[in-house]
Amino acid sequence: MSKGLIAVIAVVLILGFVGCGKYNGMVAKDEAVKESWARVESQYQRRADLIPNLVNTVKGAADFEKSTLTGVIEARSKATQTTISADALTPENIAKFQAAQDQLSGALSRLLVTVEKYPDLKANQNFLELQAQLEGTENRITVARNDFNTVVKGYNQEVRTFPNNLFAGMFGFDQKGYFQATAGSENAPAVQF
């Protein structure tokens, strides 16, 4: 064999081994994004599961605006119908998912503000417990979304840096979308009684 042919075979083998390593690394990061997304969905599901209990507790303890309860129930229904596959985490899909979740957050805020008018309900132990659970769930959602963004950042850096971007393009590893703050969320909501 000629030295040229041996050199070409050596280069092809080296590129093959490097390519395999890069591919496996991108697969691992892609799976980490999917796992992190599953945690986000799990926290949203936890919230969706708590809402019927909260609504029923409020309904049983106070007789007030049915439109508020109806709004919460409808927003929960929309939020649970809007899902994203871990393979379709584009910025557009995440924005649609977040819009449905924001609608639910707004409905819950209105419910909690309305409840403030009912001293008996505010003192009800079941309500207080559910309210604490809901607050804890909202905190868990925030943590899960932040963790998701951290994992997505690592993945996106992996698929965008050279020479990884060459392998990412060859193997179909596209960038993933981030959770972003909702427009206007930098302004504190006005609470009026």
Side-chain angles (χ1 to χ4, degrees), residues 3-167:
K3 289 183 181 182
L5 182 59
I6 292 173
V8 168
I9 291 173
V11 168
V12 168
L13 287 174
I14 290 171
L15 285 176
F17 287 126
V18 169
C20 287
K22 295 295 181 189
Y23 177 82
N24 290 339
M26 286 182 236
V27 166
K29 288 192 181 279
D30 186 48
E31 289 301 316
V33 168
K34 290 175 183 176
E35 176 190 19
S36 186
W37 179 249
R39 288 184 189 148
V40 170
E41 287 183 317
S42 174
Q43 293 307 322
Y44 279 117
Q45 184 62 51
R46 183 176 191 273
R47 175 171 73 172
D49 292 344
L50 280 173
I51 289 170
N53 293 327
L54 176 65
V55 169
N56 287 333
T57 300
V58 171
K59 208 186 286 184
D63 184 21
F64 64 92
E65 303 173 32
K66 285 186 178 180
S67 63
T68 302
L69 290 174
T70 303
V72 171
I73 293 166
E74 288 173 0
R76 176 192 177 267
S77 176
K78 287 179 186 175
T80 57
Q81 290 174 0
T82 305
T83 60
I84 304 174
S85 163
D87 294 326
L89 294 172
T90 64
E92 298 81 22
N93 287 343
I94 290 176
K96 288 176 190 174
F97 180 85
Q98 189 58 36
Q101 297 300 328
D102 288 344
Q103 187 177 9
L104 178 55
S105 294
L108 286 171
S109 294
R110 286 188 297 281
L111 173 65
L112 294 175
V113 167
T114 304
V115 163
E116 289 294 325
K117 297 177 184 176
Y118 295 86
D120 291 341
L121 183 59
K122 289 190 300 186
N124 179 303
Q125 187 59 38
N126 290 337
F127 176 76
L128 293 174
E129 209 170 287
L130 283 168
Q131 190 176 17
Q133 287 288 325
L134 197 55
E135 181 181 327
T137 298
E138 294 301 315
N139 289 336
R140 287 181 177 120
I141 289 170
T142 300
V143 169
R145 289 190 317 204
N146 289 338
D147 291 347
F148 172 78
N149 281 347
T150 299
V151 172
V152 168
K153 176 185 175 194
Y155 170 84
N156 285 346
Q157 284 176 332
E158 179 81 10
V159 300
R160 292 185 61 213
T161 56
F162 183 81
N164 297 347
N165 60 344
L166 300 175
F167 293 107

